[in-house]
Amino acid sequence: MIKEPETLILVGFMGAGKTTVGQEIARQHHSQFVDIDSEIERIVQQSIPELFRSRGEAGFRQIESEVLASLQTFKGIVATGGGVVERMENLEILKQSAATVIYLHGNLESTINRLLIEGQRPLLQEKSTADFFNLWQLRDPKYKMIANFTVETVGKTPERIAAEIIALFSTNEDELALLQLRSEIDAFDRQIFQIIERRMQVVTAVAHYKAQFGMATIQKERMRNMRTLLKYDFEQSEDITDEMIDQIMTILTSSAIAKENKQLKR
């Protein structure tokens, strides 16, 4: 069984939910919690945006390194900032740390959506989506390099993520790899259902369009063509068979037709 760490450090891209998840781990595990950004604000008596404006990113990063080093013996949960991996000094601190480092891994789409909702990140106001993509590609391998474990976060509640992290330390070492793979599968499953949900939202728009122009709900030729194209696209796949495509498309089209008919009756 993996030894439970005295210090647990959460890393990941901005908007990954490190603070929320860290607070939830502390709540479930009855531990202390500290957020590095909040600690910096307490020390300098400025908000993070104010600090960026007054001292620039370089000034902020220097203070961040000092706070990170001071928290290596903190008995509890530490949430870092997304850019903590930007400085080599911080990477060395984390690589040599006696703490256990957890990488909260999401995807760029869900991260940007969350940042747009929050709207308070200094870098968000300065960078385009392309900039974020490049930043993501630069930081992702650094998070992986210094993390002891990676936990997938897409589609999961903070409560679920926290419970998975706590479960890591009640798992036998020979089962740990399996636990992490299952976590990844769970994340993929949630992404699939999130896509289906968005698909059904588009179906509603399609129903309105068809009603406006008096079009038939069922368009068999288009549906046949879609199945044919999918089978062509995946003909080399050992896992995506023609039978699977037929089964999944039957479920999706039946659900879409039922939703369209319901919309048209309103």
Side-chain angles (χ1 to χ4, degrees), residues 80-227:
T80 63
V84 74
V85 292
E86 290 290 338
R87 299 187 85 201
M88 183 59 68
E89 180 181 342
N90 295 346
L91 293 175
E92 289 301 319
I93 290 171
L94 290 168
K95 281 195 292 185
Q96 296 175 18
S97 176
T100 296
V101 181
I102 305 283
Y103 174 21
L104 299 187
H105 180 265
N107 63 30
L108 190 58
E109 180 186 3
S110 62
T111 299
I112 289 177
N113 286 339
R114 177 168 176 166
L115 290 171
L116 288 171
I117 291 171
E118 293 180 7
Q120 296 296 320
R121 310 280 178 144
L123 292 180
L124 181 66
Q125 298 166 10
E126 300 171 5
K127 296 185 182 293
S128 65
T129 301
D131 291 331
F132 268 99
F133 178 73
N134 292 332
L135 194 60
W136 181 281
Q137 287 188 308
L138 286 171
R139 288 181 179 178
D140 179 65
K142 294 178 181 179
Y143 295 134
K144 290 175 179 174
M145 178 180 68
I146 49 91
N148 299 104
F149 304 105
T150 296
V151 174
E152 299 295 332
T153 63
V154 176
K156 299 177 184 177
T157 63
E159 292 80 10
R160 172 66 184 272
I161 298 166
E164 284 189 17
I165 291 171
I166 292 170
L168 287 173
F169 306 106
S170 59
T171 302
N172 293 327
E173 289 192 38
D174 57 351
E175 296 176 351
L176 183 60
L178 178 60
L179 183 67
Q180 290 192 284
L181 288 171
R182 283 175 174 166
S183 172
E184 193 170 354
I185 288 173
D186 288 347
F188 283 132
D189 287 344
R190 283 174 172 80
Q191 288 179 69
I192 289 168
F193 282 101
Q194 286 174 335
I195 291 169
I196 292 173
E197 184 178 40
R198 289 201 295 270
R199 184 185 192 275
M200 297 306 288
Q201 291 168 355
V202 175
V203 164
T204 301
V206 170
H208 287 310
Y209 187 91
K210 288 180 177 178
Q212 183 179 356
F213 293 98
M215 298 170 66
T217 300
I218 302 174
Q219 298 181 358
K220 294 183 179 179
E221 185 64 23
R222 194 193 74 81
M223 292 160 61
R224 280 196 295 268
N225 289 341
M226 188 67 222
R227 291 187 189 220

